[in-house]
Amino acid sequence: MPVYENTKLILEEIGCATLVCVTKTIEPERINEAIRAGAIIIGENRVQEYEDKRDDILPCETHLIGHLQTNKIKKAVDLFDVIQSIDSLKVIRNIDRRARDIDKVQKVYLQVNIGNEPQKYGFGPDELKNAITEIRSLRNVRVEGLMCIPPFVPPEQTRYYFRKMKALFDEMKQENGDNIDIRTLSMGMSGDYRIAIEEGATMVRVGSAIFGKREY
């Protein structure tokens, strides 16, 4: 799979949106091809996988985009520039404590369960404002964005959820102040990133369109 060429094409296509290369199961050599092509952010789903390969990856910004287990919080704060998958107040409080221990202000995004799906992690859309009120008291985290994964539906049907997410993003930006600085809307993946951008995404998370189908 021509990783370098794919990365170039997607960077051109998405214009002003920011690309996160999703590197789950991808070996460092191919990740480095994407970075050489101009990708500046990689997104990993698992803390341990990134730790195992990080020494072989070229310098870049690193985002955790997968579910963060409580026992991995310490390591995640040590390793990642941004944690996109903040799905509960318990998790963000633990992150704040760890960040304080190492004198860091951890950048985070709040994960929104935009379809209110019982099996998915994240804040419900109606829980977000109260969560932000609680988070204001934390000194070692900074909320810089919102992230969502819409329900698993055909790509065109994701438009409804992306539109809802954009409205929520615009509403939550009114809450900015103190450690709340919401300016990134992370939504859209390989199958629907074009629709996500049409509906207001400022960041897309693309893996298979760059690296090809994953082999597990």
Side-chain angles (χ1 to χ4, degrees):
M1 197 74 177
V3 171
Y4 186 94
E5 291 82 355
N6 288 347
T7 307
K8 284 276 192 198
L9 284 170
I10 288 171
L11 283 168
E12 284 175 26
E13 182 185 11
I14 65 176
C16 294
T18 301
L19 172 66
V20 176
C21 290
V22 179
T23 51
K24 176 183 178 182
T25 77
I26 306 300
E27 61 276 18
E29 299 76 29
R30 297 172 75 222
I31 296 170
N32 290 339
E33 272 190 73
I35 294 169
R36 289 189 190 99
I40 59 172
I41 303 174
I42 65 167
E44 276 286 348
N45 287 68
R46 298 192 180 99
V47 175
Q48 190 61 53
E49 182 183 344
Y50 174 64
E51 185 179 36
D52 291 344
K53 63 192 184 187
R54 67 177 175 138
D55 289 344
D56 297 315
I57 296 172
L58 291 170
C60 64
E61 188 173 307
T62 57
H63 290 214
L64 180 66
I65 58 174
H67 175 62
L68 178 56
Q69 296 169 306
T70 306
N71 65 344
K72 299 290 186 186
I73 285 174
K74 181 174 181 290
K75 203 167 272 187
V77 173
D78 293 350
L79 291 174
F80 289 95
D81 297 308
V82 177
I83 299 173
Q84 292 203 20
S85 46
I86 302 297
D87 56 23
S88 72
L89 287 170
K90 179 185 176 185
V91 165
I92 199 167
R93 288 188 189 112
N94 283 333
I95 287 171
D96 181 68
R97 279 195 286 274
R98 174 56 187 167
R100 189 168 62 237
D101 288 345
I102 63 170
D103 198 26
K104 176 182 183 180
V105 176
Q106 178 68 58
K107 296 175 183 177
V108 300
Y109 300 171
L110 303 182
Q111 181 172 339
V112 181
N113 183 354
I114 194 63
N116 282 313
E117 297 172 274
Q119 75 278 21
K120 271 199 183 150
Y121 297 104
F123 295 96
D126 55 347
E127 299 172 332
L128 209 51
K129 194 165 184 176
N130 286 341
I132 285 171
T133 300
E134 295 275 331
I135 292 164
R136 284 192 196 283
S137 64
L138 305 178
R139 297 273 68 91
N140 287 81
V141 292
R142 184 175 181 82
V143 178
E144 294 196 347
L146 303 180
M147 181 267 258
C148 82
I149 303 168
F152 187 68
V153 293
E156 187 56 36
Q157 290 179 32
T158 60
R159 191 179 295 278
Y160 166 77
Y161 296 102
F162 290 150
R163 199 165 283 172
K164 273 181 71 175
M165 193 68 204
K166 175 60 163 62
L168 188 63
F169 173 66
D170 289 340
E171 182 185 342
M172 291 304 114
K173 282 195 294 186
Q174 307 307 311
E175 302 295 318
N176 283 354
D178 303 317
N179 62 337
I180 309 297
D181 184 22
I182 294 171
R183 47 197 159 100
T184 299
L185 179 54
S186 173
M187 63 183 189
M189 296 184 280
S190 287
D192 55 20
Y193 69 88
R194 295 176 182 90
I195 296 168
I197 289 171
E198 287 172 10
E199 296 302 335
T202 68
M203 175 180 282
V204 293
R205 308 181 304 275
V206 179
S208 58
I210 291 173
F211 298 109
K213 192 170 166 55
R214 284 196 192 91
E215 296 186 13
Y216 293 93

